[in-house]
Amino acid sequence: MKVLLNMKPTLLVLAAGMGSRYGGLKQMDGLGPSGETIIDYSIYDAVAAGFGKVVYIVRSSFLDLFKKTVEEKYSGIRCPDGEPLQFDFVTQELDKIPAGFTLNPERQKPWGTAHAVLMAKDVIKEPFAVINGDDYYGKSSFKILGDWLKEHSDSKGVCCIVGFQLDNTLSENGTVSRGICSYDAEGSLTDIEECLCIGKEADGKIYGNNSVTGKEHVELAGENLCSMNMWGFTPDYFNLSEEVFTAFLEKNISELKKEFYIPFAVDTLIKDKGYSCKVLSTDSHWFGVTFKEDRPGVVAKFQELVDNGTYPSPLWK
């Protein structure tokens, strides 16, 4: 395998969600001691891991505000090699679909995460990572993912997912939904099984409802690796997933709520196109904000990370 060591990967941030359950644009909410957002910490960790560009996927309705905030905040930021950190912005809207399809005028729900990734097809030509804008993934996760992307700069037909230990992703404020990863002896993904209502109970064990089998209150192993929507792709993924999206629309163009998710796209490529997805493991602890009630806990966690020297405050001086 040819390794292009100077090929810096790109970080693609899914930030188009409006945060209706959270009560506002959580992607721009200052949670760190000096007003840092979760995205700020992700970018800081990504730059340290060798990423050279950040692409935001946002909605048109807040694009100008988002761009203004980013330009003010990151002006002058440089990568470890001295090169300036680059930024770009793309928008996800319902009507951005392949030619030949007519959008149901009653549809309001977005087309999902895999559709969002496709919006960046024209601005990303290098290996890239995909993350949620409202999730904290940890330094080691970006290092693991960045190394994989740099090692696969010249590869095709492969991707990766960073799997988090289930017991490192639980919420203190209620149950969560997680995609449990299954993989073969070589560490290649074979399936992601969605489990709902996951939480640790009084006996110290983790239970959840399996949405595939329909079984409820199933005990789950804390060391199970689960998806937190942290992926690594090479540029050929765009054309491949666009083919899958076209087939998806042929069946679902009139649906009001069906969404085109990344796990579905990857699973289809694995089964139909001979695609391969490597499962990478991290010992990082995830945390994030979904509801307003999550905010105080996240603020406390960032303060702790600053206090123990993991991050400076402010992040960039």
Side-chain angles (χ1 to χ4, degrees):
M1 179 186 298
K2 184 179 178 182
V3 179
L4 305 178
L5 296 177
N6 60 350
M7 172 72 78
K8 287 188 285 191
T10 285
L11 180 67
L12 181 59
V13 182
L14 303 178
M18 296 301 291
S20 58
R21 290 180 294 174
Y22 185 68
L25 287 179
K26 56 186 173 181
Q27 304 93 334
M28 303 179 74
D29 189 8
L31 301 168
S34 298
E36 295 90 350
T37 65
I38 290 182
I39 294 176
D40 291 339
Y41 287 99
S42 291
I43 291 174
Y44 186 90
D45 289 340
V47 170
F51 288 73
K53 183 169 73 173
V54 179
V55 177
Y56 291 98
I57 300 174
V58 299
R59 298 292 292 273
S60 297
S61 58
F62 58 88
L63 173 62
D64 291 341
L65 175 60
F66 214 99
K67 289 180 68 172
K68 182 175 183 292
T69 301
V70 169
E71 288 165 359
E72 291 175 351
K73 182 178 293 187
Y74 295 107
S75 176
I77 300 300
R78 293 186 175 274
C79 300
D81 62 1
E83 292 295 317
L85 182 62
Q86 300 178 40
F87 290 90
D88 212 331
F89 304 83
V90 295
T91 59
Q92 180 188 20
E93 302 297 340
L94 291 177
D95 58 356
K96 289 190 173 184
I97 55 177
F101 293 99
T102 301
L103 184 68
N104 186 330
E106 296 182 10
R107 184 181 175 98
Q108 297 181 350
K109 196 173 184 63
W111 285 109
T113 53
H115 173 252
V117 172
L118 281 172
M119 299 302 96
K121 179 181 178 180
D122 294 333
V123 301
I124 296 179
K125 306 300 179 185
E126 56 282 324
F128 65 100
V130 177
I131 64 167
N132 292 333
D134 52 5
D135 288 328
Y136 172 81
Y137 295 100
K139 284 181 175 292
S140 65
S141 302
F142 283 99
K143 178 67 166 59
I144 291 166
L145 183 52
D147 287 348
W148 188 93
L149 290 169
K150 284 179 276 188
E151 290 168 2
H152 291 80
S153 294
D154 204 34
S155 300
K156 291 185 178 181
V158 296
C159 72
C160 70
I161 180 173
V162 178
F164 287 70
Q165 288 189 195
L166 180 61
D167 55 6
N168 287 343
T169 72
L170 302 180
S171 172
E172 299 174 356
N173 298 310
T175 60
V176 298
S177 297
R178 297 286 181 256
I180 307 299
C181 298
S182 297
Y183 45 92
D184 60 24
E186 285 72 44
S188 295
L189 184 72
T190 56
D191 193 26
I192 296 182
E193 201 165 70
E194 187 74 12
C195 290
L196 313 174
C197 302
I198 301 172
K200 186 173 289 187
E201 299 187 5
D203 61 2
K205 297 179 180 179
I206 301 171
Y207 297 91
N209 301 337
N210 190 309
S211 66
V212 178
T213 64
K215 293 182 179 180
E216 298 184 356
H217 204 251
V218 178
E219 184 178 347
L220 301 170
E223 63 271 19
N224 280 342
L225 296 183
C226 65
S227 168
M228 299 306 299
N229 221 31
M230 191 179 202
W231 301 83
F233 295 105
T234 53
D236 63 310
Y237 170 79
F238 287 117
N239 287 334
L240 293 170
S241 64
E242 194 166 47
E243 294 175 9
V244 179
F245 185 47
T246 298
F248 172 88
L249 289 178
E250 288 173 352
K251 296 181 180 179
N252 299 290
I253 187 61
S254 297
E255 296 287 338
L256 298 180
K257 295 185 178 181
K258 285 272 190 176
E259 294 188 53
F260 182 54
Y261 293 116
I262 296 173
F264 172 83
V266 170
D267 182 67
T268 302
L269 291 174
I270 290 173
K271 293 175 179 175
D272 296 349
K273 302 284 187 179
Y275 204 63
S276 175
C277 181
K278 182 73 172 181
V279 180
L280 309 176
S281 63
T282 177
D283 58 4
S284 290
H285 286 249
W286 166 96
F287 58 84
V289 288
T290 301
F291 305 98
K292 273 291 185 184
E293 292 77 12
D294 297 324
R295 192 180 190 279
V298 171
V299 169
K301 286 185 174 71
F302 280 129
Q303 184 64 62
E304 181 181 347
L305 288 168
V306 169
D307 291 342
N308 67 24
T310 302
Y311 297 105
S313 181
L315 275 176
W316 287 280
K317 300 179 181 179

